[in-house]
Amino acid sequence: MQIGTASPPPPSSARGTHAIEQVAIAAGSFTMGDSSGDENPADGETPRHRVRLSAFSIDATSVTNDAFAAFVDATGYRTEAEVFGYSAVFHLAVTAPEQDIVGVPPQTPWWRGVRGADWRHPGGAGSDIVDRGDHPVVHVSWNDAQAYCAWAGRRLPTEAEWEYASRGGLDAAKYPWGDEEVDDGGWRANIFQGEFPARNTAEDGWSTTAPVRSFAPNGFGLWQTVGNVWEWCEDRFDPGYYAQSPETDPQGPRSGDVRVLRGGSYLCHISYCNRYRNSARSQNTPDSSMGNAGFRTVAR
Ligand SMILES: [Ca+2]
Ligand SMILES: [Ca+2]
């Protein structure tokens, strides 16, 4: 940077316009971790521990297809799914012909590696996002989310920021709305109904992604932290981290290859993956993309 040299302000295109509504979160503290007894032990949702956070602002919704398109239009960015030529699609959401199926993971045989699946083609060939501008962008990796954040002058939330924001002021509640079950008085989140993975009755109205402002926001005004799509966080994942987490603004483990995902998705089913809870944790490699994961961003 040159000091003392008169120069015009940078053109407005130098930083992208992040078009997602903001929620201001005041500095505060909370108890992080599972209090309901529903934790998945291997995920390290306990021990519960005190966390103190500085103030931040966070996206009220996941980043939408329209917002991501603005980034791609301005930069020409190609997502990792586009570079690799394929991404992971749930078997019932595949729109592509058989010859585009490039793999079926043996441990999770409801997934398909689909050639041509990417954020613009969430089911592969034969799908598009023409009517999904207000749906969360999916098939974006952690690295893709970082690229968006760099353009927008943002960052991903830490795992602690995400959980605090998802709780919406209800310390120790299981869900963003409290402790009532997800189907109590009507569906409260976009998850999977029916027999997983063979048949999705979509009683909640959605078999894959829903518009980001579906269902009801939490006490802080955040929509669909749980359900709809998993959301990448900044942190590396370590199931033992909570036993050593610092109290103030924890940043996650310093080393490790995988990154945290939070909140569950439209594929969560109570019989199989009850991770549509505030404290539930998951992880994947930073170059992984799939049709049920996106992100929301934060700034100080
Ligand atoms: Ca659903
Ligand atoms: Ca979510």
Short mmCIF file of all heavy atoms in Angstrom, two decimals, residues 136-158:
data_model
loop_
_atom_site.label_atom_id
_atom_site.label_comp_id
_atom_site.label_asym_id
_atom_site.label_seq_id
_atom_site.Cartn_x
_atom_site.Cartn_y
_atom_site.Cartn_z
N PRO A 136 -30.63 -22.42 -1.31
CA PRO A 136 -29.20 -22.38 -0.97
C PRO A 136 -28.36 -22.95 -2.10
O PRO A 136 -28.75 -23.94 -2.73
CB PRO A 136 -29.11 -23.27 0.28
CG PRO A 136 -30.33 -24.13 0.26
CD PRO A 136 -31.39 -23.32 -0.43
N VAL A 137 -27.21 -22.33 -2.35
CA VAL A 137 -26.27 -22.93 -3.30
C VAL A 137 -25.75 -24.23 -2.68
O VAL A 137 -25.51 -24.29 -1.47
CB VAL A 137 -25.12 -21.96 -3.64
CG1 VAL A 137 -24.24 -21.64 -2.44
CG2 VAL A 137 -24.30 -22.49 -4.80
N VAL A 138 -25.63 -25.26 -3.51
CA VAL A 138 -25.12 -26.56 -3.06
C VAL A 138 -24.03 -27.02 -4.05
O VAL A 138 -23.76 -26.34 -5.04
CB VAL A 138 -26.23 -27.62 -2.92
CG1 VAL A 138 -27.18 -27.26 -1.79
CG2 VAL A 138 -27.00 -27.78 -4.24
N HIS A 139 -23.45 -28.16 -3.78
CA HIS A 139 -22.30 -28.65 -4.56
C HIS A 139 -21.15 -27.65 -4.49
O HIS A 139 -20.41 -27.46 -5.47
CB HIS A 139 -22.68 -28.92 -6.03
CG HIS A 139 -23.66 -30.03 -6.21
ND1 HIS A 139 -23.37 -31.34 -5.87
CD2 HIS A 139 -24.94 -30.06 -6.67
CE1 HIS A 139 -24.41 -32.10 -6.14
NE2 HIS A 139 -25.38 -31.35 -6.61
N VAL A 140 -21.01 -26.98 -3.35
CA VAL A 140 -19.87 -26.10 -3.13
C VAL A 140 -19.01 -26.69 -2.01
O VAL A 140 -19.53 -27.09 -0.96
CB VAL A 140 -20.30 -24.66 -2.77
CG1 VAL A 140 -20.77 -23.95 -4.03
CG2 VAL A 140 -21.38 -24.63 -1.71
N SER A 141 -17.74 -26.78 -2.25
CA SER A 141 -16.80 -27.32 -1.27
C SER A 141 -16.42 -26.24 -0.25
O SER A 141 -16.73 -25.05 -0.44
CB SER A 141 -15.53 -27.80 -1.98
OG SER A 141 -14.84 -26.69 -2.54
N TRP A 142 -15.72 -26.65 0.80
CA TRP A 142 -15.18 -25.68 1.76
C TRP A 142 -14.26 -24.70 1.03
O TRP A 142 -14.31 -23.49 1.28
CB TRP A 142 -14.44 -26.43 2.87
CG TRP A 142 -13.94 -25.58 4.00
CD1 TRP A 142 -14.62 -25.25 5.15
CD2 TRP A 142 -12.64 -24.96 4.10
NE1 TRP A 142 -13.82 -24.47 5.95
CE2 TRP A 142 -12.60 -24.28 5.33
CE3 TRP A 142 -11.52 -24.93 3.27
CZ2 TRP A 142 -11.48 -23.58 5.76
CZ3 TRP A 142 -10.40 -24.22 3.69
CH2 TRP A 142 -10.39 -23.55 4.92
N ASN A 143 -13.46 -25.21 0.12
CA ASN A 143 -12.56 -24.32 -0.65
C ASN A 143 -13.35 -23.33 -1.50
O ASN A 143 -12.96 -22.16 -1.63
CB ASN A 143 -11.64 -25.15 -1.54
CG ASN A 143 -10.66 -25.99 -0.74
OD1 ASN A 143 -10.15 -25.56 0.28
ND2 ASN A 143 -10.42 -27.21 -1.21
N ASP A 144 -14.45 -23.78 -2.09
CA ASP A 144 -15.30 -22.86 -2.86
C ASP A 144 -15.89 -21.78 -1.96
O ASP A 144 -15.98 -20.60 -2.34
CB ASP A 144 -16.45 -23.62 -3.53
CG ASP A 144 -16.00 -24.64 -4.56
OD1 ASP A 144 -14.96 -24.44 -5.20
OD2 ASP A 144 -16.72 -25.65 -4.71
N ALA A 145 -16.31 -22.19 -0.77
CA ALA A 145 -16.86 -21.22 0.18
C ALA A 145 -15.81 -20.18 0.56
O ALA A 145 -16.10 -18.99 0.69
CB ALA A 145 -17.39 -21.93 1.42
N GLN A 146 -14.56 -20.64 0.71
CA GLN A 146 -13.47 -19.70 1.01
C GLN A 146 -13.28 -18.69 -0.13
O GLN A 146 -13.03 -17.51 0.11
CB GLN A 146 -12.16 -20.47 1.22
CG GLN A 146 -12.14 -21.32 2.47
CD GLN A 146 -12.14 -20.49 3.74
OE1 GLN A 146 -11.53 -19.42 3.79
NE2 GLN A 146 -12.82 -20.97 4.75
N ALA A 147 -13.39 -19.17 -1.35
CA ALA A 147 -13.23 -18.28 -2.51
C ALA A 147 -14.33 -17.22 -2.52
O ALA A 147 -14.07 -16.04 -2.78
CB ALA A 147 -13.24 -19.09 -3.80
N TYR A 148 -15.56 -17.66 -2.25
CA TYR A 148 -16.67 -16.69 -2.17
C TYR A 148 -16.39 -15.66 -1.08
O TYR A 148 -16.55 -14.44 -1.29
CB TYR A 148 -17.99 -17.42 -1.90
CG TYR A 148 -19.15 -16.45 -1.77
CD1 TYR A 148 -19.92 -16.11 -2.87
CD2 TYR A 148 -19.43 -15.84 -0.54
CE1 TYR A 148 -20.96 -15.19 -2.76
CE2 TYR A 148 -20.47 -14.93 -0.42
CZ TYR A 148 -21.23 -14.60 -1.53
OH TYR A 148 -22.24 -13.68 -1.42
N CYS A 149 -15.97 -16.14 0.09
CA CYS A 149 -15.73 -15.24 1.22
C CYS A 149 -14.64 -14.22 0.89
O CYS A 149 -14.76 -13.04 1.24
CB CYS A 149 -15.33 -16.04 2.46
SG CYS A 149 -16.70 -16.93 3.23
N ALA A 150 -13.59 -14.66 0.22
CA ALA A 150 -12.50 -13.74 -0.14
C ALA A 150 -13.02 -12.63 -1.05
O ALA A 150 -12.65 -11.46 -0.90
CB ALA A 150 -11.37 -14.51 -0.82
N TRP A 151 -13.89 -12.99 -1.98
CA TRP A 151 -14.47 -12.00 -2.90
C TRP A 151 -15.39 -11.03 -2.16
O TRP A 151 -15.40 -9.82 -2.41
CB TRP A 151 -15.24 -12.74 -3.99
CG TRP A 151 -16.08 -11.88 -4.88
CD1 TRP A 151 -15.64 -11.08 -5.90
CD2 TRP A 151 -17.50 -11.75 -4.85
NE1 TRP A 151 -16.71 -10.46 -6.50
CE2 TRP A 151 -17.86 -10.85 -5.88
CE3 TRP A 151 -18.50 -12.31 -4.05
CZ2 TRP A 151 -19.18 -10.50 -6.13
CZ3 TRP A 151 -19.82 -11.97 -4.30
CH2 TRP A 151 -20.15 -11.07 -5.33
N ALA A 152 -16.17 -11.58 -1.23
CA ALA A 152 -17.20 -10.79 -0.56
C ALA A 152 -16.67 -10.05 0.68
O ALA A 152 -17.42 -9.28 1.29
CB ALA A 152 -18.36 -11.70 -0.15
N GLY A 153 -15.41 -10.27 1.05
CA GLY A 153 -14.90 -9.65 2.27
C GLY A 153 -15.52 -10.25 3.51
O GLY A 153 -15.83 -9.54 4.49
N ARG A 154 -15.72 -11.56 3.49
CA ARG A 154 -16.39 -12.27 4.56
C ARG A 154 -15.50 -13.41 5.02
O ARG A 154 -14.41 -13.63 4.50
CB ARG A 154 -17.73 -12.85 4.05
CG ARG A 154 -18.59 -11.90 3.24
CD ARG A 154 -19.39 -10.99 4.08
NE ARG A 154 -20.26 -11.70 5.00
CZ ARG A 154 -20.99 -11.09 5.94
NH1 ARG A 154 -20.94 -9.78 6.05
NH2 ARG A 154 -21.77 -11.78 6.76
N ARG A 155 -16.02 -14.21 5.96
CA ARG A 155 -15.38 -15.47 6.30
C ARG A 155 -16.46 -16.44 6.73
O ARG A 155 -17.62 -16.04 6.95
CB ARG A 155 -14.33 -15.29 7.41
CG ARG A 155 -14.90 -14.80 8.73
CD ARG A 155 -13.82 -14.77 9.81
NE ARG A 155 -14.33 -14.14 11.03
CZ ARG A 155 -15.09 -14.74 11.95
NH1 ARG A 155 -15.48 -16.00 11.78
NH2 ARG A 155 -15.52 -14.09 13.01
N LEU A 156 -16.11 -17.72 6.84
CA LEU A 156 -17.04 -18.69 7.39
C LEU A 156 -17.12 -18.51 8.90
O LEU A 156 -16.16 -18.07 9.53
CB LEU A 156 -16.58 -20.12 7.06
CG LEU A 156 -16.66 -20.50 5.58
CD1 LEU A 156 -16.10 -21.92 5.39
CD2 LEU A 156 -18.10 -20.43 5.07
N PRO A 157 -18.26 -18.85 9.50
CA PRO A 157 -18.34 -18.80 10.97
C PRO A 157 -17.44 -19.84 11.59
O PRO A 157 -17.24 -20.93 11.02
CB PRO A 157 -19.81 -19.11 11.25
CG PRO A 157 -20.30 -19.86 10.06
CD PRO A 157 -19.51 -19.35 8.88
N THR A 158 -16.90 -19.52 12.77
CA THR A 158 -16.31 -20.60 13.56
C THR A 158 -17.46 -21.51 14.00
O THR A 158 -18.64 -21.11 14.02
CB THR A 158 -15.58 -20.09 14.80
OG1 THR A 158 -16.53 -19.51 15.71
CG2 THR A 158 -14.51 -19.05 14.43
#
